[in-house]
Amino acid sequence: MQILEIIWTFFKIGVVSFGGGWSIVGIIRNEVVPHWINEQEFLSLIAVAQSTPGPIALNAATMIGWENGGFFTAMAATLSVVVFPVLSILAATYLARFIKLRAIAINESLKTGSIAMMLMALWALKPSSGDPVLIAMALGAFALAAFTKINALWAIIGSGALNAIAGPAIRAFLGIGG
Amino acid sequence: MKPTKPESTTAQSKPTLIELFILLARINTVTLGGGYVIVPVMATSLEKKGWMNESDFYDLFARAQAFPGPMALNSALLVALKLFGPKGIPAAFFGVVLPPFIALILVSGLIQRFGSLPVLRRFLDGAGAVVPGLIAAMIWKNAAKRSWNVPRIIETALLAVLLILLPAFSLPILLLAIVVLYCIEGLCKSWK
């Protein structure tokens, strides 16, 4: 059954959802493309998930569930992605007396892990269309997010609006299809 | 980052479960941009309410990062556990999860309804195009503030290559890597 597959997929994603939201994007992509959603839709979905309220992994789960079965699948996917995190926090509060882990070593190992996860995400989602307008927008977003303190939200909305309003005109001017 | 104010080590007042839920739900409705934006808002709101001072919150936040799951959710769960014990969990959980869920159901419905319009299609394509750029920027920022040494450079590169080459095994590779890296970091500490 499809809903069980979705529950299992998002449960697994929840288990390794370490680091700030962006590190899990590559893992989600590997698990859902092309089975539940295609590459192009996935990029738009992540952009929407980032520019709406809420954690990126949860939002992605809600949207993929919605597109693959509707309301109850969306709810199941959303709950599945947080089951493991919630249980692990509860377990840790009760097991803290028995297990002593080094907090610094945990944090350092997760930092290494999350940078590697983001490198994998970048590789998996590197622009493949060859559309120079979209590549220029990715480079602009990098510059904005890496070197200014402007909320990345504005890069997402700005790029979307620019492509919606002026995309065809720019491509016609450059003499490329569209 | 952690102001030490000895006179305010205990919070002045304690919220009810409903009040905690409402505060978290409000923050998670109006704050866009993910955990890095939400967490500071939570810190100041909790202090302003007098429920928890910022330094106590950031101690919990540091612990929250050691768990899988969204930072905003983990922080909220630890705040609720500290204020109420296990009976605070539902207030924190639904406060963080419910508003985005409702928002995303609405957005998904709108996209499903109007997604075939060329102008919305182009908007979504343009918005999606920046995702690789934003990921690259997060790598840039995280790499810039990481305290690098030779083992960490090798570990990061090796893990990234393994994840890229063996995408079908990314979950077991990651879990194993976290354990191995933890042991290496732990050993390095005990040598010093």
Side-chain angles (χ1 to χ4, degrees):
Chain A
M1 267 188 61
Q2 177 158 276
I3 191 166
L4 294 180
E5 271 184 78
I6 288 203
I7 289 173
W8 175 234
T9 301
F10 280 100
F11 173 80
K12 287 189 295 182
I13 291 169
V15 173
V16 292
S17 54
F18 290 103
W22 288 111
S23 35
I24 195 63
V25 167
I27 303 288
I28 301 177
R29 188 238 170 240
N30 278 350
E31 295 293 318
V32 304
V33 175
H35 194 39
W36 308 111
I37 186 172
N38 72 39
E39 185 88 54
Q40 182 63 42
E41 287 172 325
F42 182 75
L43 284 175
S44 307
L45 184 143
I46 292 301
V48 173
Q50 180 64 19
S51 40
T52 42
I56 202 163
L58 274 176
N59 294 355
T62 308
M63 293 176 83
I64 291 167
W66 175 268
E67 285 188 20
N68 289 280
F71 182 82
F72 290 104
T73 315
M75 201 161 76
T78 310
L79 292 175
S80 307
V81 85
V82 291
V83 165
F84 188 81
V86 173
L87 290 180
S88 67
I89 285 181
L90 280 174
T93 39
Y94 293 106
L95 298 179
R97 281 175 295 164
F98 307 109
I99 305 172
K100 284 275 171 277
L101 292 173
R102 292 157 192 258
I104 294 169
I106 294 180
N107 284 336
E108 292 302 332
S109 68
L110 292 180
K111 279 181 195 165
T112 302
S114 71
I115 292 178
M117 284 160 87
M118 286 190 280
L119 286 168
M120 182 262 250
L122 182 61
W123 176 266
L125 296 172
K126 62 188 180 305
S128 57
S129 70
D131 181 331
V133 178
L134 296 183
I135 291 172
M137 286 171 180
L139 292 173
F142 170 75
L144 186 87
F147 305 116
T148 73
K149 295 212 176 286
I150 299 168
N151 192 329
L153 186 63
W154 298 113
I156 296 172
I157 295 174
S159 173
L162 190 66
N163 195 47
I165 297 162
I170 296 170
R171 289 188 184 82
F173 179 74
L174 294 173
I176 46 180
Chain B
M1 185 166 142
K2 287 184 194 169
T4 41
K5 284 181 282 180
E7 76 277 13
S8 66
T9 41
T10 51
Q12 302 93 311
S13 67
K14 197 183 161 187
T16 63
L17 287 169
I18 300 287
E19 284 175 326
L20 181 67
F21 167 79
I22 290 172
L23 179 76
L24 289 171
R26 210 182 60 216
I27 294 172
N28 282 282
T29 305
V30 298
T31 316
L32 304 174
Y36 290 108
V37 183
I38 278 205
V39 163
V41 178
M42 280 174 69
T44 46
S45 306
L46 287 167
E47 174 150 299
K48 229 188 285 171
K49 290 269 187 187
W51 297 344
M52 181 177 285
N53 60 51
E54 281 204 33
S55 65
D56 285 350
F57 175 82
Y58 279 113
D59 286 344
L60 292 181
F61 172 62
R63 268 177 59 203
Q65 287 178 297
F67 293 97
M71 289 188 291
L73 178 63
N74 292 356
S75 309
L77 290 172
L78 290 176
V79 167
L81 275 172
K82 182 165 174 135
L83 292 176
F84 297 103
K87 74 174 197 289
I89 293 286
F93 181 81
F94 289 108
V96 176
V97 169
L98 211 51
F101 180 73
I102 294 168
L104 265 293
I105 290 292
L106 292 174
V107 170
S108 301
L110 286 174
I111 291 175
Q112 197 173 47
R113 179 84 177 73
F114 300 108
S116 50
L117 289 179
V119 68
L120 182 61
R121 197 66 265 150
R122 287 201 304 273
F123 180 87
L124 290 173
D125 285 349
V130 304
V131 167
L134 296 179
I135 294 173
M138 284 310 288
I139 296 171
W140 176 273
K141 281 180 165 174
N142 279 278
K145 68 181 182 207
R146 183 104 177 88
S147 54
W148 290 103
N149 54 33
V150 176
R152 283 176 187 168
I153 293 171
I154 296 170
E155 289 156 11
T156 307
L158 192 65
L159 181 54
V161 168
L162 278 175
L163 289 172
I164 288 168
L165 291 181
L166 302 167
F169 300 99
S170 52
L171 301 185
I173 289 172
L174 260 176
L175 290 177
L176 192 65
I178 297 296
V179 175
V180 172
L181 291 171
Y182 170 77
C183 294
I184 294 173
E185 292 285 348
L187 277 179
C188 292
K189 271 281 166 298
S190 64
W191 289 337
K192 277 171 192 166

